[in-house]
Amino acid sequence: MKLFYFPGACSMSVHIVLNEIGATYELEKVDMMTKELESGGSFLDINPKGYVPCLQLDNGEYLTEVGAILQYLADSNPGANLLPAVGDLQRYRVVEFISYISGELHKNFAPLFNPEITDEARGASLEIIGKRLGLLNDQLGEGGPFLTGEQFTIADAYLTTVLGWAQFVKMDLSPWPNLGGYAGAAMSRPAVLATLKEEGMM
Ligand SMILES: N[C@@H](CCC(=O)N[C@@H](CS)C(=O)NCC(=O)O)C(=O)O
């Protein structure tokens, strides 16, 4: 498999899961601005959507969209226990978190990476993100250490990645202390540490 990625971007969630399952894979960095591949050529010829992550499977096909790729990898490697089986309500709890992280957190972080953002727009994004994080903080206070309990899942790979963006957009996470403990638990995982190192993030 080959992962088309950008360091620290949402593609990092896929990278974490590749390491969690012990996959053999290659990495290809994409320039987010020019859409050029590190090895040459245009990423748009591979993925016309123009955004990461994109995973080339061993049969040569390409799979995109974080939620789809994470579920594919987890289902292809059930022994890693990253997603409960079809029919188990806990599976849909994990998928529920993935939808929440994607639609309610990830997308609200995106404007904060725009250097031209106005103070008003930044404040509005931070307020929405704060509400979303507050809910996660409360849920983690009732359970944990991971989103659905004791077991690290693909939703945790995604949330760990998105929480990492707070430092880049200078967002203080201290109002949500359970998220600090959560990030610490995730960061102590060998697969997460290996991913951060491979992406040059530490
Ligand atoms: N719907 C996509 C969104 C992916 C996405 O937002 N990727 C960002 C990085 S976190 C990206 O590549 N942005 C560059 C661009 O859109 O040009 C998914 O879930 O995979």
Side-chain angles (χ1 to χ4, degrees):
M1 287 183 284
K2 185 192 275 190
L3 175 64
F4 295 85
Y5 82 109
F6 183 79
C10 52
S11 45
M12 198 174 94
S13 59
V14 175
H15 193 174
I16 290 171
V17 169
L18 285 168
N19 281 328
E20 286 282 350
I21 63 179
T24 302
Y25 60 88
E26 293 170 48
L27 293 172
E28 174 86 46
K29 199 192 289 186
V30 179
D31 184 318
M32 301 278 258
M33 302 306 291
T34 64
K35 309 297 176 194
E36 295 215 343
L37 297 172
E38 197 173 25
S39 65
S42 174
F43 179 50
L44 294 172
D45 292 338
I46 286 165
N47 176 19
K49 290 175 173 172
Y51 50 69
V52 294
C54 174
L55 185 69
Q56 184 175 27
L57 309 178
D58 288 337
N59 69 2
E61 285 189 48
Y62 297 102
L63 189 61
T64 62
E65 303 298 325
V66 172
I69 301 172
L70 293 182
Q71 289 180 65
Y72 171 77
L73 290 174
D75 283 338
S76 306
N77 298 273
N81 289 324
L82 295 169
L83 179 66
V86 171
D88 182 336
L89 178 59
Q90 281 303 103
R91 178 189 183 93
Y92 307 101
R93 293 288 173 218
V94 174
V95 173
E96 186 177 25
F97 275 119
I98 287 176
S99 292
Y100 184 76
I101 296 162
S102 172
E104 308 299 332
L105 271 179
H106 177 164
K107 284 299 153 191
N108 281 309
F109 263 100
L112 298 175
F113 286 97
N114 177 358
E116 316 255 295
I117 192 170
T118 64
D119 288 347
E120 193 185 351
R122 178 179 161 84
S125 285
L126 289 176
E127 191 179 332
I128 294 172
I129 292 170
K131 282 186 190 156
R132 309 296 190 239
L133 293 181
L135 194 135
L136 292 176
N137 186 69
D138 292 348
Q139 290 188 353
L140 286 167
E142 291 162 18
F146 298 114
L147 286 171
T148 54
E150 293 292 327
Q151 186 64 40
F152 181 91
T153 71
I154 52 175
D156 296 298
Y158 196 6
L159 181 59
T160 301
T161 298
V162 171
L163 287 180
W165 299 344
Q167 60 178 312
F168 297 114
V169 301
K170 299 188 169 38
M171 181 178 188
D172 175 20
L173 292 181
S174 63
W176 306 284
N178 295 332
L179 290 177
Y182 170 81
M187 298 295 239
S188 68
R189 297 181 71 80
V192 175
L193 289 171
T195 303
L196 289 167
K197 281 190 193 141
E198 284 162 17
E199 297 203 3
M201 306 295 291
M202 65 177 289

